Amino acid sequence: MAERTKLLLATRNENKVREIKRILADVPVDLVSLADFPDVPPVEEDGATFEENAVKKALHVWQHTGLASIADDSGLEVDALDGAPGVISARFAGEPVSYEANNEKLLKMLDGVPEEDRKAKFVCVAVLVSCKGKMVLQRGELKGLITDRPRGAGGFGYDPVFYLPRQKKTVAELDAEIKNEISHRAHAFTAIKPFLRLLAPSPKA
Ligand code: IMP
């Protein structure tokens, strides 16, 4: 049987791992995550852009393991807030990190803003580093509107306050399957797939 490449997903976020595993289900790689590599130290996400952070994360885990590695950096950009929360989406309302507190802060900041000015987008930048250190970067986006209150129980993060006019649902009200077809993460990782298929089996696989 042909040897499969081991691909390390540079995240400890179980929500992301679940989504990315589904998106990459048809690619012949063995996907492992940082949960399997507890000795890899955390990396500071201090870049000014999603691109900088994703490159930093992917290189960091590749340098520590020698495995082909893939990282994503993602977040929410709201037009009326000049692109905030952007790269600080995860810790928008400060520590300890809480999805509910982030959503509450966002809704408060947009209090009174009319629907036509509540445009936002989810952004995901995915970076692949081959075991030889070659890098590919792809960006995906999903456009929508910020609601005035949370709705739905699926997904994670800002999903309950991110409304898709076409589907007439928040992302948290969507089937997981549908989210995985249209999301910013789906767009970025689908664009990475042709490069994943070119990966040679990793020497440490
Ligand atoms: P990262 O781990 O630095 O990429 O942080 C991403 C943060 O952006 C998450 O903690 C969420 O708050 C937000 N985010 C990214 N992708 C999504 C998504 O698909 N749905 C909702 N929120 C998301």
Side-chain angles (χ1 to χ4, degrees), residues 16 45 73-75 89-90 122 156-159 179 184-185:
K16 282 189 182 180
E45 295 182 30
D73 197 52
S74 53
S89 290
F122 277 134
F156 68 99
Y158 297 95
D159 285 345
K179 179 177 180 189
H184 48 313
R185 196 161 290 107

Side-chain angles (χ1 to χ4, degrees), residues 76-89 92-93 102-114 116-121 145-147 158 161:
L76 177 72
E77 290 186 345
V78 179
D79 289 7
L81 303 178
D82 294 326
V87 288
I88 62 148
S89 290
F92 188 40
N102 288 340
N103 286 335
E104 217 172 280
K105 176 172 178 176
L106 178 66
L107 293 182
K108 219 173 252 173
M109 288 176 83
L110 293 178
D111 193 24
V113 175
E116 63 270 23
D117 294 328
R118 299 177 79 97
K119 292 191 187 75
K121 64 182 176 194
L145 298 171
I146 303 301
T147 56
Y158 297 95
V161 297

Side-chain angles (χ1 to χ4, degrees), residues 81-166:
L81 303 178
D82 294 326
V87 288
I88 62 148
S89 290
R91 50 188 194 284
F92 188 40
E95 309 276 349
V97 165
S98 150
Y99 292 146
E100 289 75 23
N102 288 340
N103 286 335
E104 217 172 280
K105 176 172 178 176
L106 178 66
L107 293 182
K108 219 173 252 173
M109 288 176 83
L110 293 178
D111 193 24
V113 175
E115 187 179 319
E116 63 270 23
D117 294 328
R118 299 177 79 97
K119 292 191 187 75
K121 64 182 176 194
F122 277 134
V123 178
C124 172
V125 172
V127 171
L128 167 67
V129 181
S130 76
C131 60
K132 291 188 176 154
K134 290 203 173 145
M135 199 186 293
V136 177
L137 181 151
Q138 297 287 347
R139 169 183 266 249
E141 296 185 354
L142 177 65
K143 290 188 175 161
L145 298 171
I146 303 301
T147 56
D148 56 5
R149 65 191 163 87
R151 268 170 37 191
F156 68 99
Y158 297 95
D159 285 345
V161 297
F162 195 91
Y163 181 75
L164 301 168
R166 249 174 98 180

Side-chain angles (χ1 to χ4, degrees), residues 183-203:
S183 76
H184 48 313
R185 196 161 290 107
H187 292 308
F189 278 83
T190 300
I192 287 264
K193 278 188 195 185
F195 300 95
L196 285 177
R197 294 200 169 94
L198 295 175
L199 286 179
S202 153

